[in-house]
Amino acid sequence: MMALTDELDRYPKTGRFLTGRLRHDMTDAEKSELEGLITRTLTLQDGERLIARGEECDCSTLLIDGFILRTLESEDRRYAVSFHVPGDFVDLHCFALKRLDHNIDCVGSVKLGQVPHTAIAEVMANRPHLARLFWFSTLLDAAMHREWIMKLEQLTAPKRIAHIFAEIWRRLEMVGIGYADGFETPLRQSDIADMCGATSIHTNRALADLRKNGLADFQRGKVRIADRTRLEAYAGFNPDYLYGDGALSLREFA
């Protein structure tokens, strides 16, 4: 935790980028360059849409504080297909795609740092190692998408929610925001329904089931978990796909 505090003191906008994954492989010069790439910071409020599907992008955005959902809309319903925590690039894909096939929505108050695509092009042309780290960031998003697709097929609604809680907790811990007994998030019950593909009524019943069985208690964005091992076993959660600690750890690549 002390190391992360030092990083945030030195790099207040980007100090959480790849923390717990490949940040150990970044040189001080690369960290300083990344910090300098952010030319503008902005704050958006709950429910605001950073990028709408099909909108042309000329910059990519790093999440400094807050919580963001990637969403799709179909037949008047929103589906949340992934989420982002501080330190994540939320739309680095825009650099290559120029237009996204999904929306980027804020949950609660969000602080963002924007990097012009011209600056990213300069990194790609002249900073191959930093460019590879950016590429890793987008591939990590793909790994998490694959896990979500599989779990959506495998699990019942209560287990899907348990899996989402387990992932959020791990990812927040990696960037120094989680707690020993859970985490806090601006997510509402409706957001959780969108994340697990269930109706609001079904989600309410699933949350009640988790609480009744002592697995997780969700109250106004606060998630308290008495026994992490039990929750993760119930959800079939294996954190390897997050590329932190575990079988796919990248710490050996220092």
Side-chain angles (χ1 to χ4, degrees), residues 64-243:
I64 300 172
D65 286 308
F67 203 94
I68 273 180
L69 292 176
R70 291 179 184 273
T71 69
L72 293 168
E73 292 171 338
S74 177
E75 299 179 351
D76 298 322
R77 173 146 184 210
R78 188 183 76 155
Y79 297 86
V81 294
S82 68
F83 66 90
H84 286 285
V85 301
D88 290 351
F89 264 108
V90 300
D91 57 357
L92 197 52
H93 315 74
C94 281
F95 173 71
L97 297 173
K98 300 308 175 188
R99 293 179 176 88
L100 295 179
D101 62 346
H102 56 276
N103 311 303
I104 307 291
D105 294 338
C106 300
V107 185
S109 180
V110 168
K111 184 177 181 182
L112 304 159
Q114 294 188 318
V115 179
H117 284 169
T118 52
I120 296 176
E122 181 73 15
V123 169
M124 294 295 171
N126 300 307
R127 303 286 188 275
H129 184 253
L130 187 55
R132 184 177 70 85
L133 295 176
F134 284 1
W135 188 19
F136 167 78
S137 177
T138 62
L139 294 176
L140 179 62
D141 288 341
M144 291 187 285
H145 278 302
R146 286 190 290 273
E147 186 75 8
W148 273 43
I149 291 168
M150 181 176 70
K151 292 304 179 183
L152 192 63
E153 291 292 322
Q154 284 183 336
L155 303 179
T156 62
K159 291 186 176 183
R160 280 181 231 157
I161 295 172
H163 196 277
I164 288 167
F165 285 168
E167 181 181 321
I168 293 173
W169 194 6
R170 289 274 183 169
R171 288 174 63 182
L172 289 176
E173 274 190 332
M174 291 171 80
V175 295
I177 302 176
Y179 302 112
D181 63 343
F183 57 90
E184 294 184 10
T185 169
L187 289 172
R188 296 167 291 263
Q189 184 172 302
S190 59
D191 298 315
I192 294 171
D194 292 345
M195 293 169 83
C196 70
T199 65
S200 294
I201 293 174
H202 201 180
T203 300
N204 185 57
R205 290 173 180 165
L207 287 167
D209 186 56
L210 292 176
R211 183 169 57 253
K212 177 183 176 182
N213 290 295
L215 289 161
D217 184 24
F218 175 80
Q219 298 288 338
R220 296 186 179 181
K222 295 181 180 180
V223 178
R224 293 295 176 260
I225 298 163
D227 187 334
R228 168 177 250 158
T229 300
R230 186 165 167 253
L231 175 79
E232 293 183 350
Y234 174 77
F237 177 78
N238 181 337
D240 287 353
Y241 70 98
L242 300 178
Y243 282 84

